[in-house]
Amino acid sequence: MAIPMRQRQLRGAVLFLSPFLILFSLVTLAPLCYAAWLSLFSEQSSGLGLGGVEKQFTGIGNYSRVLGDAEFLHGSLTIAAYVAIYVPVLTLSALAVALLLDSGLAAARRVTQVIVFIPHAVPGLVAALIWLYLYTPGLSPVTDWLGQSSDTASVASTHPLLSVVNVAMWEWLGYNVVIFYAALQAVPQEVLEAATLDGVNRLQLAVRIKAPLIRPAVAMAALFTVIGGIQLFNEPKILLQASSSITRTWTPNLYTQDAAFNRNDYGTAAAASLLIAGFAAVLSFVVTRLANRRSTA
């Protein structure tokens, strides 16, 4: 009996999608479900702690505790300030570099792209370790050149937020430049030629013609940057060793790690992680809607 074409297409789609669905279920859905389960319980020690630990159902108690914790709220404000500085600075800097490379004014454009992209090829932990060395007075040749002695407070202590922004900028600038430059290569040449014939100079061509035409790529990069900013962890975790201003709960992700591995409070850690994921999802939805609204305006 011949199998209908539609049924064969459905079977083919299931066959090709099944590896992704299996991996997605194992590495994403299952951990989320387990975290949601853990967040509903807390561990209580009976008596003087000699009677063992009992797991008790608390419902949304862990979520209320996290949202009422001053350290978690302070970390959330830190992330809000970080995103407010980091996202526009990174996006505008990457867009400016990409427009400069596409303008023809920059020499050796391919070499420049590679040089700009190289820091992104360095793993985040290694990049944070590099800047930990560069921020430490007495060890860093930069601080020695600036005249800072070993007993001077490090840059990461005096300006922790800007220090982390600088490390993240160094890591991700080249990645966004490559995205924007690739989008600029797809801009129709006839549009640029028409604008040039109308007397538009190079600056106006970049700002008024090219930049608006690659708005979807800019919105996508900004969205990824926002999501990455909310999950900030590697850079402050490493710089914590050189900064008296960065604490173990300086960001929500650091708060989650501290709750899980220093306080062994897995229910609180699970609740905090799900709150972070939920906030990232809501913010991603808002950014996407705003970007779509502007692109259709």
Side-chain angles (χ1 to χ4, degrees):
M1 182 178 178
I3 301 177
M5 177 64 70
R6 186 178 183 84
Q7 190 173 356
R8 290 204 303 268
Q9 293 175 346
L10 181 61
R11 288 185 178 181
V14 172
L15 180 64
F16 281 108
L17 288 175
S18 56
F20 164 77
L21 293 175
I22 293 172
L23 289 175
F24 181 75
S25 300
L26 290 176
V27 303
T28 302
L29 294 182
L32 280 175
C33 293
Y34 184 59
W37 173 258
L38 281 179
S39 68
L40 301 177
F41 296 88
S42 64
E43 295 182 348
Q44 302 290 337
S45 299
S46 59
L48 298 176
L50 302 177
V53 177
E54 297 179 358
K55 183 174 290 187
Q56 296 183 355
F57 179 79
T58 58
I60 62 172
N62 287 325
Y63 295 93
S64 301
R65 189 178 304 110
V66 171
L67 292 175
D69 194 330
E71 292 184 334
F72 182 83
L73 296 178
H74 183 270
S76 300
L77 292 177
T78 300
I79 283 296
Y82 170 79
V83 170
I85 297 173
Y86 172 58
V87 174
V89 171
L90 176 67
T91 304
L92 293 176
S93 299
L95 182 59
V97 174
L99 289 170
L100 180 62
L101 291 174
D102 187 65
S103 65
L105 296 176
R109 284 182 291 179
R110 297 298 181 186
V111 177
T112 305
Q113 288 180 64
V114 173
I115 294 174
V116 172
F117 186 76
I118 282 177
H120 178 68
V122 178
L125 285 175
V126 177
L129 287 171
I130 292 172
W131 282 98
L132 173 63
Y133 166 72
L134 293 175
Y135 283 153
T136 304
L139 294 177
S140 168
V142 177
T143 56
D144 291 344
W145 180 71
L146 293 175
Q148 288 186 308
S149 60
S150 58
D151 58 349
T152 305
S154 67
V155 178
S157 294
T158 55
H159 304 287
L161 187 61
L162 296 181
S163 299
V164 174
V165 169
N166 177 63
V167 177
M169 281 281 296
W170 186 81
E171 289 180 76
W172 291 97
L173 179 65
Y175 175 81
N176 287 275
V177 168
V178 170
I179 291 178
F180 296 160
Y181 184 77
L184 287 170
Q185 300 306 296
V187 174
Q189 289 299 317
E190 55 269 18
V191 175
L192 304 180
E193 292 174 358
T196 303
L197 292 175
D198 288 341
V200 175
N201 58 41
R202 290 181 181 270
L203 181 60
Q204 293 173 333
L205 186 67
V207 175
R208 298 184 179 181
I209 306 297
K210 293 182 179 180
L213 288 176
I214 64 167
R215 184 178 295 170
V218 175
M220 180 190 69
L223 174 61
F224 289 161
T225 306
V226 169
I227 296 174
I230 294 173
Q231 302 175 38
L232 180 67
F233 179 80
N234 288 337
E235 293 81 2
K237 179 64 177 177
I238 299 298
L239 295 181
L240 187 150
Q241 304 175 48
S243 174
S244 58
S245 302
I246 299 177
T247 64
R248 294 188 300 179
T249 58
W250 196 68
T251 68
N253 267 348
L254 288 174
Y255 174 92
T256 301
Q257 190 209 33
D258 180 68
F261 300 108
N262 294 329
R263 292 181 278 153
N264 296 323
D265 190 349
Y266 300 109
T268 298
S273 63
L274 289 176
L275 287 173
I276 296 170
F279 180 71
V282 171
L283 190 58
S284 301
F285 176 77
V286 172
V287 172
T288 303
R289 290 296 299 269
L290 290 176
N292 292 336
R293 183 176 300 177
R294 289 184 178 181
S295 63
T296 56

